[in-house]
Amino acid sequence: MSLLSIVVPCYNEEETVDLFYASLTKVVDQMDLEYEVIFVNDGSKDSTLEKMLALYKAHPGVVRVIDFSRNFGKEGALLAGLRAAKGDYVTVMDADLQDPPEYIPKMFEVMEKNGNDVVGTRRVSRKGEPKIRSWFARKFYKLINRFTEVEIVDGARDFRLMKRQVVDAILSLKEYGRFSKGLFVWVGFKCEYLEYENIKRVAGETKWSFVKLLRYALDGIIEYTDMPLWIISWVGGFLTVIMLVFLLVLLVLSLLGKALSSTVLIIAVVLFMGGIILLSTGILGEYLAKTYDEVRGRPNYIIRKFYE
Ligand code: UDP
Ligand code: MG
């Protein structure tokens, strides 16, 4: 029988862990396969770990728990879970039941029928989410897809069923900056998406503030394209030409004895240029910082204890 690994990153999910496990097992118990559930406790400050350990004791051999030394972020938790997964098939799920377990058998069905290597899910609506957040999210997908070689599907969730080969491909990517939405697509393979309406989390709160999401989006852009560098080069070139013309005009005017009183103009130009230069330096800095992160080669997470 084949083995399905279910990876669940959790940060302060004391309210949802039990609910999640109950609805998950209700579905997978019906299926003709063995499964393991890998909970990753991403430095929760509440009793998430205790809840996980209770499940671990109650279901030996099925539940495994990775406990991080602190909060490293969802990407780190996801990576640890994928590394630990032993299954022939692997799926990643949020603990808050926003990823409906009923979709697991559906994903298997589609995978079998169409011979896919991956079956993903995407939200076709963003109901129950702040409007402004949805607006930024849509713009983000437009922007990143315009400049990247891979198509990051709008609304695609991390909830996906992958064959072993795909997981190995993802794990073979060694970068520190792990923008999983991109990595999942970058590795390729035959993939199909199931669609569903947005579902509200059963309990607890979202861990993503607007600022955190914005940072995440910027990281994605920096890690996947050099488009911002390309833009500043063009802006720089364009401004150089304008400035040359401007200087020529000033020269001609002063030769004709008609020098402008151009203090205000000059101040405006200086401020404008200063702004562009600072912005460009900032963008360069972002790339430099990412390069520094990669070169330093720190681990994405540290495990305090692995319960298995
Ligand atoms: N999560 C995590 N580490 C973090 C933030 C979130 O492991 O630093 C987990 C969280 O517990 C949940 C999943 O990632 O299982 C998705 O988070 P959340 O539901 O808050 O995000 P949203 O669905 O609102 O985008
Ligand atoms: Mg959620």
Side-chain angles (χ1 to χ4, degrees):
M1 235 195 310
S2 43
L3 175 70
L4 168 67
S5 301
I6 300 148
V7 173
V8 195
C10 297
Y11 176 52
N12 294 347
E13 299 283 3
E14 61 180 1
E15 290 170 86
T16 59
V17 166
D18 288 332
L19 286 172
F20 169 80
Y21 192 79
S23 22
L24 172 74
T25 46
K26 216 166 88 193
V27 174
V28 287
D29 280 339
Q30 305 296 318
M31 295 175 67
D32 189 23
L33 45 73
E34 286 182 57
Y35 62 88
E36 58 169 3
V37 182
I38 303 170
F39 283 112
V40 185
N41 177 34
D42 185 13
S44 301
K45 292 179 184 69
D46 59 5
S47 64
T48 303
L49 181 65
E50 286 71 37
K51 298 262 156 137
M52 288 174 176
L53 291 181
L55 289 173
Y56 164 75
K57 290 205 182 90
H59 308 277
V62 174
V63 174
R64 300 160 73 199
V65 177
I66 301 175
D67 186 27
F68 279 1
S69 62
R70 65 170 171 85
N71 179 252
F72 282 92
K74 187 182 172 185
E75 292 291 348
L78 207 84
L79 179 63
L82 290 183
R83 281 188 179 147
K86 296 181 193 148
D88 313 295
Y89 299 91
V90 179
T91 177
V92 178
M93 296 179 83
D94 283 8
D96 56 11
L97 289 174
Q98 277 185 307
D99 301 326
E102 307 83 77
Y103 271 73
I104 298 177
K106 287 191 200 169
M107 287 156 128
F108 268 105
E109 225 170 80
V110 172
M111 185 176 259
E112 197 127 304
K113 200 173 83 198
N114 301 345
N116 295 313
D117 305 303
V118 183
V119 178
T121 54
R122 59 182 287 253
R123 295 187 290 182
V124 281
S125 76
R126 289 178 166 269
K127 263 200 311 247
E129 197 185 67
K131 286 250 159 32
I132 179 99
R133 190 168 151 175
S134 308
W135 186 84
F136 269 103
R138 272 199 305 275
K139 288 285 169 261
F140 164 72
Y141 284 111
K142 266 231 171 84
L143 188 72
I144 196 162
N145 281 326
R146 185 171 216 147
F147 294 96
T148 42
E149 49 182 311
V150 293
E151 166 92 12
I152 298 176
V153 178
D154 187 353
R157 298 191 53 83
D158 292 339
F159 181 32
R160 52 183 53 229
L161 180 66
M162 297 175 277
K163 285 190 177 158
R164 180 81 252 165
Q165 193 190 4
V166 180
V167 178
D168 288 342
I170 290 165
L171 292 179
S172 74
L173 305 178
K174 295 290 178 227
E175 58 246 63
Y176 172 84
R178 298 194 80 83
F179 182 66
S180 287
K181 278 185 195 314
L183 298 183
F184 285 152
V185 189
W186 191 90
V187 294
F189 292 101
K190 194 161 184 278
C191 178
E192 192 172 326
Y193 287 88
L194 302 182
E195 301 184 342
Y196 59 81
E197 298 275 314
N198 193 27
I199 302 164
K200 283 201 177 144
R201 52 160 55 237
V202 276
E205 275 171 14
T206 176
K207 311 299 177 303
W208 295 85
S209 65
F210 184 74
V211 176
K212 240 173 133 182
L213 272 177
L214 189 66
R215 184 67 245 177
Y216 182 65
L218 287 179
D219 282 349
I221 290 175
I222 302 267
E223 271 152 31
Y224 275 82
T225 84
D226 42 19
M227 170 259 291
L229 293 176
W230 183 82
I231 292 176
I232 55 178
S233 310
W234 276 94
V235 171
F238 179 70
L239 284 177
T240 312
V241 174
I242 301 267
M243 289 305 141
L244 270 178
V245 174
F246 180 66
L247 278 180
L248 272 178
V249 171
L250 280 186
L251 193 69
V252 171
L253 284 178
S254 71
L255 283 180
L256 295 176
K258 280 196 222 167
L260 302 174
S261 123
S262 48
T263 326
V264 177
L265 202 60
I266 288 172
I267 290 178
V269 169
V270 168
L271 285 180
F272 178 61
M273 291 305 294
I276 299 272
I277 291 170
L278 273 182
L279 179 69
S280 311
T281 320
I283 292 175
L284 283 179
E286 284 290 318
Y287 281 92
L288 199 62
K290 290 278 174 238
T291 313
Y292 183 47
D293 275 347
E294 297 296 334
V295 170
R296 198 161 41 179
R298 286 195 179 161
N300 289 75
Y301 55 84
I302 290 167
I303 294 177
R304 199 168 80 86
K305 191 161 178 193
F306 196 165
Y307 302 82
E308 46 178 348

